[in-house]
Amino acid sequence: MSVLHTGMVLFLGLTLMTLKSTGDPGSAPKVEVQPFGTLSSGQKTDLYTLKNDKGMSVSITNYGATIVAIKVPDRTGKVEDITLGFDSAKEYEEGKAYFGATVGRYGNRIAHGTFMLDGKTYRLPKNNGDNTLHGGINGFNKKLWSVREIPSADGPALQCTYMSPDGEEGFPGTLTATVVFTLYQDKNELRIDYSATTDKPTVVNLTNHSYFDLAGQNHGSILGETLQLNATRFTPVDSALIPTGELREVKNTPFDFTHPVAIGKRIDAADEQLKFGQGYDHNWVLDKPKGGTRAALAAIAHDPTSGRVLEVLTTEPGVQFYTGNFLDGTVKGKGGYEYPRRSAFCLETQHFPDSPNHPNFPSTTLLPGNEFRSTTIFRFSVK
Ligand code: GLA
């Protein structure tokens, strides 16, 4: 071996060693796993925790590909869990509020549990009055997902996959859905990338149903927290929360969040839409940058007491802003805390509710050979 050659081998060897010891992606497991309890079927579940260098962590269970906890610092550096949820998978199995869940195959409502696709009528189980909500009785939030840690240059990442059989909950086509949760190593951002493929024409609307209280999950009312939405229109609903089909201007209504407003400021105003939702439980039509395909800023929430700020960015055309109107203090959550009414808000990025029955809404149809893709980012800071 020539001196030059030996030198090169040594150099290469050293470079490789350096890379390993400085923690190249995949050199050490970045995701911690712990048991999260047994389901009524006897299946065991796990809780996966992703941590970054900025004091943030995110815990996710394979039951429902559910976000169980998001812990972020406040303006003094105090780290608190700011999402509602439970301490074991069994409680999620019994729960009805969709805390932190991946919602599918069709998030939000489908009127009268029926829609037409390719000239065929499909009937779905009704679980919300006369309508189908969040994928039916056994939606994706009630399924055990396959989970694996995947390499990512951005930070710890968890891939969750679920194959929904043809005809499940009445929907046509085998749908293979993947959700990747990536926590950025160097900034307090959680990115959620959804993708799905099908073997028959179907409808898809995937979202995450995290309930946020930026003051901490056991702090009570969110009515003093402020919200700004990048939306000049919303989709008004009937008394069963089904969109009428109209895209209505928010101007001069309690639905105008184009500037930051305390969530509680107008929530009990004499307004028919607020009456129907018993508060906010509506889809806003996001104002999108022209020609942009990247996740764009949809919402900014701020808690003046802790200073925590949540920005939501998404590629989706809409966001359901729901103020926990159906929570009533009877559900015991994490640490035994009983979540009162309006103790959290949800920002469910989505296609509009009941899109399969509204040809004027952006389409939720997925065809074989095409891939559904969608990204939502929860970005945290303090102010
Ligand atoms: C969504 C719906 C609400 C309610 C919650 C879950 O936000 O729009 O009406 O069903 O999910 O309780």
Side-chain angles (χ1 to χ4, degrees):
M1 202 184 274
S2 74
V3 177
L4 186 68
H5 199 162
T6 317
M8 264 179 67
V9 170
L10 246 173
F11 172 75
L12 265 175
L14 279 174
T15 315
L16 282 176
M17 270 174 62
T18 325
L19 269 180
K20 248 198 134 54
S21 60
T22 51
D24 61 316
S27 64
K30 293 171 170 174
V31 178
E32 289 167 16
V33 190
Q34 62 192 89
F36 200 51
T38 307
L39 301 171
S40 54
S41 61
Q43 289 165 297
K44 292 202 166 24
T45 66
D46 286 309
L47 188 68
Y48 302 82
T49 299
L50 289 60
K51 289 183 180 165
N52 75 3
D53 295 335
K54 297 282 174 187
M56 175 169 172
S57 72
V58 178
S59 299
I60 296 155
T61 173
N62 49 347
Y63 184 69
T66 299
I67 297 179
V68 171
I70 299 181
K71 296 181 182 170
V72 283
D74 71 1
R75 68 161 82 79
T76 68
K78 186 175 175 211
V79 174
E80 268 170 305
D81 184 357
I82 49 98
T83 59
L84 275 52
F86 297 114
D87 290 320
S88 73
K90 191 86 210 297
E91 292 162 281
Y92 282 95
E93 192 177 16
E94 288 154 10
K96 294 190 170 44
Y98 303 88
F99 289 143
T102 294
V103 174
R105 157 177 335 195
Y106 194 94
N108 217 301
R109 293 173 176 80
I110 296 182
H112 312 300
T114 181
F115 66 97
M116 266 182 80
L117 191 59
D118 266 356
K120 260 187 88 175
T121 300
Y122 293 93
R123 291 188 199 289
L124 316 170
K126 296 173 181 176
N127 59 338
N128 187 241
D130 191 41
N131 306 312
T132 301
L133 176 67
H134 293 332
I137 296 163
N138 283 303
F140 288 7
N141 59 308
K142 299 283 179 194
K143 305 293 176 184
L144 201 58
W145 293 58
S146 307
V147 166
R148 69 185 186 97
E149 184 184 347
I150 56 166
S152 162
D154 296 325
L158 197 70
Q159 183 188 63
C160 308
T161 309
Y162 174 66
M163 195 199 275
S164 170
D166 183 12
E168 186 175 61
E169 294 296 304
F171 291 100
T174 312
L175 189 85
T176 306
T178 300
V179 185
V180 177
F181 297 92
T182 307
L183 176 64
Y184 283 84
Q185 195 64 49
D186 57 354
K187 49 185 178 179
N188 284 344
E189 280 185 41
L190 173 67
R191 192 179 78 225
I192 311 177
D193 293 303
Y194 303 87
S195 56
T197 53
T198 183
D199 61 0
K200 280 186 194 164
T202 191
V203 293
V204 185
N205 197 18
L206 301 176
T207 191
N208 178 271
H209 209 304
S210 285
Y211 284 67
F212 297 100
D213 181 349
L214 298 178
Q217 65 101 25
N218 55 1
H219 279 242
S221 174
I222 42 90
L223 297 180
E225 299 178 23
T226 69
L227 180 71
Q228 181 172 9
L229 292 173
N230 190 11
T232 45
R233 292 170 301 167
F234 76 112
T235 51
V237 290
D238 66 15
S239 60
L241 300 187
I242 298 296
T244 59
E246 185 194 350
L247 307 185
R248 187 180 292 173
E249 296 287 328
V250 296
K251 216 178 168 154
N252 300 323
T253 77
F255 290 77
D256 189 349
F257 283 95
T258 53
H259 299 284
V261 189
I263 293 171
K265 184 154 186 227
R266 302 158 305 183
I267 200 167
D268 290 318
D271 177 281
E272 187 181 51
Q273 286 297 314
L274 286 173
K275 210 169 98 200
F276 288 160
Q278 298 177 43
Y280 295 106
D281 193 355
H282 297 75
N283 170 67
W284 270 254
V285 178
L286 294 170
D287 294 335
K288 289 279 171 183
K290 289 244 174 333
T293 51
R294 293 168 68 107
L297 189 63
I300 308 173
H302 176 229
D303 170 40
T305 57
S306 66
R308 290 192 186 92
V309 176
L310 162 64
E311 289 171 276
V312 180
L313 295 90
T314 189
T315 55
E316 285 296 303
V319 65
Q320 185 88 5
F321 170 51
Y322 166 61
T323 41
N325 312 308
F326 303 128
L327 298 175
D328 58 7
T330 57
V331 174
K332 242 197 193 85
K334 285 181 275 190
Y337 185 66
E338 291 167 344
Y339 300 123
R341 184 161 188 250
R342 296 178 177 168
S343 58
F345 62 85
C346 304
L347 290 164
E348 303 153 61
T349 55
Q350 60 180 3
H351 271 56
F352 307 168
D354 199 29
S355 291
N357 293 310
H358 291 278
N360 62 320
F361 287 176
S363 173
T364 49
T365 302
L366 179 67
L367 301 175
N370 290 351
E371 189 181 22
F372 167 86
R373 275 178 168 281
S374 163
T375 295
T376 290
I377 295 167
F378 295 139
R379 176 191 285 163
F380 295 93
S381 58
V382 288
K383 168 169 116 173

